[in-house]
Amino acid sequence: MASRERLFELWMLYCTKKDPDYLKLWLDTFVSSYEQFLDVDFEKLPTRVDDMPPGISLLPDNILQVLRIQLLQCVQKMADGLEEQQQALSILLVKFFIILCRNLSNVEEIGTCSYINYVITMTTLYIQQLKSKKKEKEMADQTCIEEFVIHALAFCESLYDPYRNWRHRISGRILSTVEKSRQKYKPASLTVEFVPFFYQCFQESEHLKESLKCCLLHLFGAIVAGGQRNALQAISPATMEVLMRVLADCDSWEDGDPEEVGRKAELTLKCLTEVVHILLSSNSDQRQVETSTILENYFKLLNSDHSALPNQRRSRQWENRFIALQIKMLNTITAMLDCTDRPVLQAIFLNSNCFEHLIRLLQNCKVFQGQLDCLAISTIQALTAVMNKSPAAKEVFKERIGYTHMLEVLKSLGQPPLELLKELMNMAVEGDHTSVGILGISNVQPLLLLIQWLPELQSHDLQIFISDWLKRICCINRQSRTTCVNANMGIRIIETLDLHSSLHQTCAENLIAIHGSLGSQSVSSEEIRRLLRLLRVDESESVHPYVTPVTRAILTMARKLSLESALQYFNLSHSMAGISVPPIQKWPGSAFSFSAWFCLDQDQLTLGIANKGGKRKQLYSFFTGSGMGFEAFITHSGMLVVAVCTKREYATVMLPDHSFCDSLWHNITVVHMPGKRPFGQSFVYIYDNGQQKVSAPLRFPAMNEPFTSCCIGSAGQRTTTPPPSQIPDPPFSSPITPHRTSFGGILSSASWGGTIEKSKLITKLISAGTQDSEWGCPTSLEGQLGSVIIFYEPLQPPQVKALYLAGLQKFNLS
């Protein structure tokens, strides 16, 4: 690196003699010293360099004014054509500004000067020359012009995306919120010249190199990713028209390099994805273009009708390239929906009639030859992304399109490949279909579709593969079986088995085994009747091949399992399910006792994930109008928590070392006993399967108010957290035994039983009104609820034991 003394010497020679050659030499020396900062390749990730270009305050006095004049002179002489020396000087000037901006503290000041406008003016004129198709252009050397344009675009990137967010984005690295918060320096304010410049560059640009078009798209993406303020200024009707035109520009595909054209399409789609995400995080009064308008044009292009094209244009190669573009556009839909505000964007997609557009695409793709399987697979992926984790979107698809219609469309494409069937499996679990046991059934309709499609699959290997996977996912636990039973999968299976001549024996046996497993959960007389009718044979036949597997299935349904299980129960698996009890105007007794049988499956979507503050599964909640009362819930880890809420405190007692998310039936009894006056202490007793597990002191709320909100297995009422000024100080809670104890507490039998010290480790006090933020928002039990009994007197241990020994069946619900 040249020494500072050399730069100082050259600058003094220029100031003394006013010779432009010394200025050029100074610039050349400066640029050579910091050449490692000239990373003008947008595809290259920025590299960390220990050395840093100097700040503006360390440059020679008046240097920026001198360079502004030099740049202005270059602009003024462009009309007559720059000489070779002037072209070299202009490139040096732009390189100097790029290097200067790599010291991020210089970005704001450089951006407020007129350099960027001069550079854009020169770049516009150069691009006009590069777009023209003239004989003199073919003869002339365009290297210097292209070099200036590339460096000019890199200079804009340095101003408007100083941290190179766009380069990280296109390389697949997503910056976290913490990383973005550490970006100390803001990008320069976007010049008003950019949008007209960007629009004009793509006007009549068929002779402009694809590599330069990609650089322009990179710059647009950098501006959008660099900061929201500039992004909203750059996202305008004019720039969106350009992006859509670039995608729709198929005329130059025959002559262009397929790899470069494909790269240009990918960049355009990445830009559109970034645009959608920026618009989604902005206010409506800040936007120049609405997301719905972009999607409308997007789907119009996706389903554009090219049948009117001349036959010479509709070549096999052209069709394959157009299908390749459609596949990329479909994959971009999935990328767009991968954002934090997914529900909002899903609603926008639904309002844009996305389902109709996607199904129409499958219907119309029959006119082309080639990559139909890939197109169908990408379409299914896009449908899955729009419906992912959205019950409303699933319902809309079911009503507007219907899975029967989707199956007809898929059948019209011919025999499906394995990859397409796997995508339908992925749609059912909304994830990787191989993750059976981790992911449960999120959308049962694709499973019904697969069962219906089995007889028409000519490949027996596919039949066996699909039926084997269906057997695993449908029968894995009670929750999956319940979902399938509620969707009438049993009838669908029997309808498929009616076509047994088209089914492989192993496939049929798998389907019968599924029906037997579902029947052990719930089965109707109609299903049994139709299942037995399958076994009818003609007189010429002796035994139907289904006799043995059907017999096994019926035995599975009738077999009494060794573990306790209920034949009748409330299914409270939906988050909004539950039982509402009429208000109780006056509590008739002096205590509160609750006994119930329930069964919970492991939450498959959060398996092994600590989700504190997520949700609490309510077993019961009885509250007065002022918010006082009793409740019990299951935490994300499956532990039972019993709570009492007073006007100031929310006190909880947890049953430790017990997880109820094990797919087994449990009998839980909770007894709240008030203390005997004047010095008695209130206690709570928790029983699991008839055995007392916890005896702990717990406040007893006042019972002189009506209980207006009485819910069993229901989300009940969500706590409205008051302002911080209204939240009382949290009550003092310590695991250490206090020095002073009430007389009733000393005489209490529990204090002599040795359980008090243990209970102090599981008792927690928080301020009333903050329970949702501490324990999570209430939801339904998300499981099955058997018999429930509530008493207004305290149950004694022998009575609790008797209730448990009575079992599930004696108190089954009708």
Side-chain angles (χ1 to χ4, degrees):
M1 179 180 294
S3 64
R4 293 182 181 179
E5 289 79 8
R6 176 59 177 164
L7 288 171
F8 178 76
E9 178 185 354
L10 291 172
W11 181 254
M12 294 306 297
L13 287 172
Y14 168 73
C15 293
T16 303
K17 300 185 178 182
K18 300 299 181 183
D19 187 348
D21 291 337
Y22 285 113
L23 177 61
K24 184 177 181 300
L25 189 57
W26 185 91
L27 285 170
D28 191 44
T29 305
F30 184 91
V31 169
S32 300
S33 302
Y34 297 98
E35 195 169 7
Q36 68 269 28
F37 291 97
L38 292 175
D39 48 347
V40 296
D41 185 1
F42 285 94
E43 303 285 342
K44 181 182 177 183
L45 271 174
T47 55
R48 183 181 180 88
V49 182
D50 295 332
D51 192 18
M52 185 65 63
I56 293 177
S57 61
L58 299 178
L59 295 175
D61 294 339
N62 210 30
I63 178 67
L64 295 183
Q65 179 67 15
V66 171
L67 297 182
R68 187 189 70 81
I69 295 174
Q70 294 294 324
L71 195 57
L72 177 59
Q73 290 175 355
C74 291
V75 174
Q76 293 171 344
K77 294 178 181 179
M78 279 203 69
D80 300 326
L82 292 180
E83 298 177 358
E84 185 175 344
Q85 290 184 349
Q86 292 169 328
Q87 285 183 347
L89 176 62
S90 64
I91 293 175
L92 273 177
L93 288 170
V94 175
K95 288 182 177 180
F96 170 78
F97 291 130
I98 293 174
I99 293 172
L100 214 58
C101 288
R102 295 319 302 146
N103 184 331
L104 302 186
S105 61
N106 298 331
V107 167
E108 184 177 4
E109 185 171 349
I110 296 296
T112 57
C113 300
S114 55
Y115 309 115
I116 184 62
N117 293 333
Y118 295 154
V119 170
I120 285 181
T121 300
M122 295 180 66
T123 307
T124 303
L125 293 173
Y126 276 144
I127 288 181
Q128 290 300 324
Q129 295 181 31
L130 294 172
K131 288 194 299 184
S132 64
K133 187 178 183 182
K134 296 181 180 179
K135 193 170 184 179
E136 55 268 23
K137 173 190 170 183
E138 297 174 2
M139 300 295 295
D141 184 9
Q142 304 291 315
T143 305
C144 290
I145 294 179
E146 292 180 7
E147 184 182 5
F148 179 88
V149 171
I150 292 173
H151 283 84
L153 299 181
F155 172 43
C156 294
E157 180 207 22
S158 300
L159 284 176
Y160 304 130
D161 188 15
Y163 288 94
R164 310 294 175 91
N165 292 337
W166 175 250
R167 297 196 188 192
H168 287 290
R169 195 71 49 86
I170 61 174
S171 68
R173 182 173 181 267
I174 305 300
L175 296 178
S176 65
T177 306
V178 176
E179 287 177 299
K180 287 184 178 180
S181 65
R182 292 174 181 168
Q183 296 182 354
K184 176 182 176 182
Y185 297 101
K186 302 300 180 185
S189 297
L190 184 66
T191 175
V192 294
E193 301 292 334
F194 172 76
V195 171
F197 161 73
F198 186 75
Y199 183 83
Q200 190 174 355
C201 286
F202 284 93
Q203 293 295 106
E204 300 177 356
S205 61
E206 59 270 14
H207 301 300
L208 186 64
K209 283 187 176 180
E210 298 296 332
S211 58
L212 290 179
K213 291 180 183 178
C214 287
C215 288
L216 287 164
L217 293 169
H218 272 301
L219 175 57
F220 180 83
I223 293 173
V224 175
Q228 188 178 52
R229 181 187 59 181
N230 288 340
L232 293 173
Q233 187 176 344
I235 301 171
S236 65
T239 54
M240 293 302 98
E241 180 186 335
V242 168
L243 295 183
M244 291 300 175
R245 192 190 307 127
V246 170
L247 284 180
D249 184 16
C250 298
D251 293 340
S252 62
W253 283 35
E254 295 292 342
D255 303 325
D257 182 2
E259 186 175 345
E260 288 187 349
V261 174
R263 182 57 181 160
K264 181 180 68 174
E266 289 179 3
L267 283 175
T268 307
L269 292 171
K270 287 181 182 293
C271 287
L272 285 172
T273 301
E274 195 70 20
V275 164
V276 169
H277 291 171
I278 287 293
L279 294 178
L280 203 60
S281 61
S282 64
N283 297 325
S284 58
D285 58 341
Q286 298 175 310
R287 300 191 287 262
Q288 302 180 61
V289 181
E290 292 298 330
T291 308
S292 57
T293 305
I294 296 176
L295 293 182
E296 179 183 352
N297 293 320
Y298 192 85
F299 283 117
K300 188 181 298 182
L301 174 60
L302 183 64
N303 267 312
S304 54
D305 182 13
H306 295 275
S307 59
L309 286 174
N311 290 333
Q312 60 269 23
R313 298 294 301 149
R314 297 180 59 201
S315 64
R316 176 67 59 85
Q317 185 181 17
W318 182 90
E319 289 179 355
N320 287 337
R321 288 179 176 177
F322 185 73
I323 293 178
L325 173 63
Q326 289 178 313
I327 291 173
K328 290 176 181 177
M329 294 180 69
L330 289 169
N331 295 338
T332 301
I333 293 176
T334 304
M336 287 180 179
L337 288 162
D338 186 14
C339 58
T340 54
D341 293 330
R342 175 191 285 267
V344 178
L345 187 55
Q346 284 174 313
I348 299 174
F349 266 92
L350 293 181
N351 292 332
S352 300
N353 298 321
C354 64
F355 291 142
E356 289 81 355
H357 286 293
L358 294 174
I359 294 298
R360 191 180 306 122
L361 177 63
L362 284 179
Q363 291 173 316
N364 296 338
C365 70
K366 292 178 292 184
V367 302
F368 299 116
Q369 301 296 321
Q371 309 170 35
L372 297 182
D373 293 339
C374 294
L375 187 63
I377 290 170
S378 296
T379 304
I380 298 299
Q381 289 174 343
L383 288 171
T384 302
V386 176
M387 292 187 284
N388 188 32
K389 305 293 186 298
S390 174
K394 295 183 180 73
E395 195 63 29
V396 168
F397 181 83
K398 190 175 178 181
E399 293 180 0
R400 288 186 185 176
I401 306 298
Y403 290 88
T404 301
H405 178 60
M406 185 174 79
L407 178 59
E408 293 173 356
V409 173
L410 292 175
K411 286 180 180 179
S412 67
L413 303 179
Q415 284 295 305
L418 176 60
E419 289 72 20
L420 176 60
L421 298 174
K422 286 181 177 179
E423 282 306 323
L424 291 173
M425 299 178 189
N426 293 340
M427 177 185 282
V429 300
E430 294 184 345
D432 186 358
H433 69 279
T434 61
S435 302
V436 175
I438 298 177
L439 296 175
I441 300 175
S442 299
N443 186 357
V444 72
Q445 294 299 324
L447 303 183
L448 304 179
L449 184 151
L450 288 169
I451 291 173
Q452 189 176 347
W453 205 352
L454 279 174
E456 300 187 39
L457 299 182
Q458 296 176 2
S459 170
H460 287 168
D461 290 338
L462 284 182
Q463 288 186 357
I464 296 172
F465 174 80
I466 297 298
S467 61
D468 183 67
W469 182 83
L470 288 170
K471 181 179 177 181
R472 285 188 292 138
I473 190 67
C474 296
C475 308
I476 189 170
N477 55 33
R478 183 180 290 102
Q479 185 176 355
S480 294
R481 293 194 297 270
T482 301
T483 300
C484 296
V485 166
N486 292 338
N488 293 321
M489 184 178 286
I491 295 295
R492 293 289 185 92
I493 290 175
I494 294 175
E495 291 173 351
T496 299
L497 290 172
D498 282 333
L499 305 172
H500 63 87
S501 59
S502 302
L503 295 174
H504 189 273
Q505 179 70 20
T506 304
C507 175
E509 291 178 358
N510 284 335
L511 291 178
I512 294 172
I514 294 173
H515 195 283
S517 178
L518 301 184
S520 66
Q521 189 85 358
S522 178
V523 67
S524 65
S525 58
E526 174 67 13
E527 290 181 54
I528 294 294
R529 184 180 67 82
R530 294 183 61 172
L531 188 63
L532 294 176
R533 286 187 62 181
L534 288 175
L535 306 182
R536 291 182 177 179
V537 295
D538 297 332
E539 294 181 359
S540 58
E541 300 181 33
S542 57
V543 178
H544 195 283
Y546 286 175
V547 168
T548 300
V550 167
T551 303
R552 290 197 193 101
I554 293 176
L555 290 175
T556 300
M557 299 178 198
R559 185 181 297 118
K560 170 67 177 177
L561 300 178
S562 59
L563 297 174
E564 192 75 42
S565 61
L567 296 180
Q568 300 176 14
Y569 51 82
F570 291 108
N571 180 25
L572 306 180
S573 57
H574 193 277
S575 60
M576 299 302 293
I579 303 170
S580 180
V581 179
I584 302 174
Q585 297 299 323
K586 182 175 177 59
W587 193 258
S590 60
F592 179 92
S593 300
F594 179 93
S595 182
W597 286 88
F598 66 87
C599 175
L600 303 179
D601 288 319
Q602 174 67 54
D603 189 349
Q604 293 168 313
L605 295 179
T606 57
L607 187 65
I609 299 176
N611 188 27
K612 181 180 179 181
K615 61 184 179 181
R616 61 184 194 268
K617 302 178 181 182
Q618 296 287 103
L619 181 58
Y620 64 82
S621 60
F622 287 76
F623 285 104
T624 65
S626 60
M628 295 189 298
F630 309 92
E631 76 173 2
F633 55 87
I634 309 296
T635 67
H636 66 275
S637 58
M639 293 189 180
L640 175 69
V641 177
V642 177
V644 167
C645 189
T646 64
K647 290 185 177 180
R648 294 180 57 85
E649 299 174 354
Y650 185 83
T652 55
V653 173
M654 179 182 291
L655 178 59
D657 305 325
H658 283 69
S659 179
F660 292 94
C661 295
D662 53 8
S663 300
L664 301 177
W665 283 94
H666 294 270
N667 175 252
I668 285 294
T669 301
V670 179
V671 179
H672 290 272
M673 185 180 298
K676 296 182 179 180
R677 295 181 180 180
F679 304 112
Q681 190 171 16
S682 303
F683 270 80
V684 63
Y685 302 93
I686 303 176
Y687 299 83
D688 178 23
N689 292 338
Q691 298 293 323
Q692 180 178 315
K693 300 296 182 181
V694 170
S695 171
L698 189 66
R699 289 182 178 273
F700 196 86
M703 306 288 282
N704 53 359
E705 296 183 33
F707 285 87
T708 57
S709 175
C710 306
C711 301
I712 300 175
S714 169
Q717 294 181 345
R718 182 173 179 175
T719 303
T720 303
T721 304
S725 59
Q726 298 181 17
I727 298 178
D729 294 333
F732 177 75
S733 178
S734 172
I736 303 174
T737 305
H739 296 293
R740 299 178 63 85
T741 306
S742 65
F743 183 68
I746 296 174
L747 298 180
S748 171
S749 59
S751 64
W752 298 89
T755 60
I756 285 292
E757 204 62 36
K758 180 179 179 181
S759 69
K760 289 184 178 297
L761 300 176
I762 56 175
T763 303
K764 187 172 186 178
L765 294 178
I766 60 175
S767 299
T770 63
Q771 51 264 41
D772 283 3
S773 58
E774 178 68 26
W775 292 102
C777 297
T779 183
S780 74
L781 188 63
E782 296 187 355
Q784 291 79 44
L785 182 67
S787 54
V788 179
I789 309 177
I790 301 173
F791 299 91
Y792 53 79
E793 296 294 341
L795 290 177
Q796 301 301 319
Q799 297 170 322
V800 175
K801 188 72 172 180
L803 285 175
Y804 167 69
L805 293 177
L808 270 165
Q809 310 309 324
K810 183 171 291 188
F811 295 98
N812 269 337
L813 303 164
S814 59

